[in-house]
Amino acid sequence: KPEPNEFPELPLNENLCMNIAQELKMKVPPHGLFKMADGKLAYVIKRFDRIGNNEKIHKEDMAQILNLSPDAKYSSSLEAVGNAIKKNSANPYLDLFDFFQRILLNFAIGNGDMHLKNWSLLTPADGRNSLAPCYDFVSSKIYLPDEEDLALPLGGKKNKLERKDFEDFADYLEMDSKAASNAIDSIVDFKDSILTMIKSSFLSPIYQDRFEEIVQERVRRLESR
């Protein structure tokens, strides 16, 4: 992915966000930055829907699973995605925990563009569906300050989300309350590490500062009251 004119430093942004996910032990494909002929950096990521000699692993995104058109990628909810995972995954509660933790991280980093096509299930040859690895993690809010908190509503809300909203969502998914609380706390406890990674990243100072402000504000909302 080269750098688009309308979103400066997007490859650096995505690489950083995926590094943060990796440090949180999420499923993240090999990825990195590659210098192009013009000296700019492009973001590269290994395809996770290929194995061996380019053999394909069947992948369906949530727009497909929910029988929606690609242009309706914002026309559903996180509840619908969670129900699709629960219905189709071979290990639904493990995948639901991963799903929940990814929602929390994307909220914390200011990614308001995690739409239906950014959630997928993989179906290998044995037919055991699983949540695809992380992809398209970016801090979109550093470019779009008026952007909503979430691309897909959670509990009917896209904005002004607090810890209780995520706890209620975990309850809706029938997650263990202790596991849900631990997932939220894992993001809160990782705040300083995220801030350190931002400060040591290749992002320019103006975007580092914006990113840090977003993380500080979002994590405050996730803290226990």
Side-chain angles (χ1 to χ4, degrees), residues 49-68:
D49 58 348
R50 298 288 188 276
I51 56 172
N53 296 320
N54 211 32
E55 180 183 347
K56 293 183 178 180
I57 303 174
H58 183 69
K59 176 176 81 73
E60 285 188 282
D61 63 49
M62 284 296 162
Q64 295 170 303
I65 292 170
L66 297 173
N67 294 313
L68 297 171

Side-chain angles (χ1 to χ4, degrees), residues 58-204:
H58 183 69
K59 176 176 81 73
E60 285 188 282
D61 63 49
M62 284 296 162
Q64 295 170 303
I65 292 170
L66 297 173
N67 294 313
L68 297 171
S69 63
D71 58 3
K73 60 186 180 181
Y74 299 100
S75 301
S76 190
S77 68
L78 288 170
E79 283 85 357
V81 176
N83 287 332
I85 293 171
K86 188 183 295 188
K87 178 181 178 182
N88 294 286
S89 171
N91 294 290
Y93 290 99
L94 179 61
D95 278 344
L96 283 173
F97 180 85
D98 287 350
F99 170 61
F100 184 65
Q101 191 178 34
R102 293 184 203 183
I103 292 171
L104 292 164
L105 176 59
N106 279 282
F107 170 75
I109 63 175
N111 185 0
D113 200 39
M114 283 296 288
H115 50 68
L116 291 175
K117 296 186 71 63
N118 286 338
W119 300 101
S120 296
L121 291 179
L122 293 178
T123 306
D126 63 8
R128 293 178 61 80
N129 296 329
S130 64
L131 186 64
C134 302
Y135 62 100
D136 286 354
F137 283 20
V138 299
S139 179
S140 52
K141 195 172 180 66
I142 68 173
Y143 308 111
L144 306 168
D146 296 325
E147 182 183 54
E148 294 175 309
D149 291 350
L150 299 175
L152 299 170
L154 179 153
K157 297 170 61 175
K158 288 187 176 183
N159 283 308
K160 299 182 179 179
L161 292 147
E162 304 283 347
R163 183 184 182 104
K164 181 66 163 55
D165 296 300
F166 293 100
E167 290 173 339
D168 289 346
F169 180 63
D171 186 57
Y172 172 85
L173 295 176
E174 299 179 313
M175 290 178 60
D176 177 77
S177 59
K178 180 67 172 177
S181 183
N182 287 342
I184 299 172
D185 288 339
S186 72
I187 303 298
V188 173
D189 294 343
F190 201 64
K191 182 191 73 173
D192 288 345
S193 296
I194 295 175
L195 296 177
T196 298
M197 293 178 71
I198 293 170
K199 188 57 71 177
S200 62
S201 74
F202 292 118
L203 287 174
S204 60

